[in-house]
Amino acid sequence: MDEREPILSVAFFRTETGREPVREWLKSLPRDERRILGEDIKTVQFGWPLGMPLVRKLVAGLWEVRSRLPGRIARVTFTADAGQMVLLHGFIKKSQKTPVEDLELAKNRLRLLK
């Protein structure tokens, strides 16, 4: 087991009604895909700051964890501040470019956090 302390703690974005959309999305995925995403998030937690190919900056204060799943690609957008990584949005990519609606949702959740 890894004895190092993580650089970032992980938290899930929570809506006003108490829902945690990223946690719900992760739970909806098959176990092997959840494991891959969990390992990638943990790599960011312990190695922050990281860049490509695992992490890409989207806009100021917003990054994505880029995970390869069996037969598809997943993204988890997050913000990092004061030693905490807040997971804002998770989705399966269906095109080369990040869909505008997914990016806007992540930006909106980032604004709600501030």
Side-chain angles (χ1 to χ4, degrees):
M1 189 130 108
D2 199 335
E3 297 296 324
R4 299 177 302 145
E5 286 290 314
I7 295 165
L8 298 173
S9 62
V10 174
F12 290 93
F13 170 81
R14 185 171 290 187
T15 65
E16 288 181 7
T17 59
R19 287 186 53 240
E20 294 177 326
V22 178
R23 187 187 302 269
E24 293 167 13
W25 175 74
L26 287 169
K27 285 181 175 180
S28 76
L29 297 174
R31 177 188 234 163
D32 63 325
E33 292 184 355
R34 283 196 312 264
R35 185 185 50 74
I36 292 167
L37 284 159
E39 287 175 3
D40 288 346
I41 291 166
K42 184 178 177 184
T43 299
V44 175
Q45 236 190 313
F46 281 85
W48 186 253
L50 292 172
M52 294 286 276
L54 184 60
V55 176
R56 182 171 74 112
K57 185 173 185 169
L58 299 171
V59 296
L62 188 64
W63 292 267
E64 68 179 1
V65 177
R66 310 170 76 232
S67 297
R68 288 192 172 278
L69 305 177
R72 56 193 191 158
I73 295 171
R75 298 290 186 258
V76 176
T77 58
F78 70 96
T79 189
D81 189 35
Q84 187 175 55
M85 172 185 195
V86 181
L87 307 181
L88 299 169
H89 180 50
F91 61 98
I92 301 296
K93 274 192 77 172
K94 294 179 173 70
S95 64
Q96 192 78 17
K97 201 167 164 57
T98 299
V100 173
E101 57 272 11
D102 288 304
L103 183 56
E104 287 304 314
L105 179 58
K107 286 173 162 178
N108 187 45
R109 289 178 178 167
L110 178 60
R111 277 190 294 276
L112 290 172
L113 269 184
K114 304 269 180 209

